[in-house]
Amino acid sequence: DRIPDSPIICARPDNVYDKLKEWIARPGELKRLGARGPDFVRRHHDPDGVMVHMLARYNEALERKASGHP
């Protein structure tokens, strides 16, 4: 729910059977969800984008440390 464009189906051990049964009954929707996977991965796991994001986070942490804030 926190990532609105996520094509990941969330399930817990206590409901995985019901989730699988639910999605197997909707093959067209399952196929559309699966088709969104590659674009999702490219958007959220692009090495260059991740590197830029992580460098910004490290710089923020260093600035907070240098200013005496945790």
Side-chain angles (χ1 to χ4, degrees):
D1 293 339
R2 293 184 295 179
I3 304 173
D5 62 335
S6 173
I8 298 169
I9 299 169
C10 295
R12 300 180 312 275
D14 63 317
N15 72 357
V16 70
Y17 176 81
D18 293 330
K19 287 285 187 175
L20 287 170
K21 193 172 163 183
E22 172 188 336
W23 280 94
I24 288 171
R26 301 176 355 213
E29 192 173 344
L30 183 60
K31 186 175 183 175
R32 284 189 294 279
L33 185 68
R36 290 176 25 204
D39 286 336
F40 176 83
V41 169
R42 280 190 282 280
R43 262 192 321 279
H44 294 282
H45 297 285
D46 171 62
D48 293 332
V50 170
M51 177 188 62
V52 168
H53 175 76
M54 293 307 298
L55 285 172
R57 297 296 303 258
Y58 284 129
N59 285 330
E60 289 170 12
L62 284 171
E63 288 173 13
R64 282 194 308 272
K65 185 175 180 181
S67 68
H69 294 93

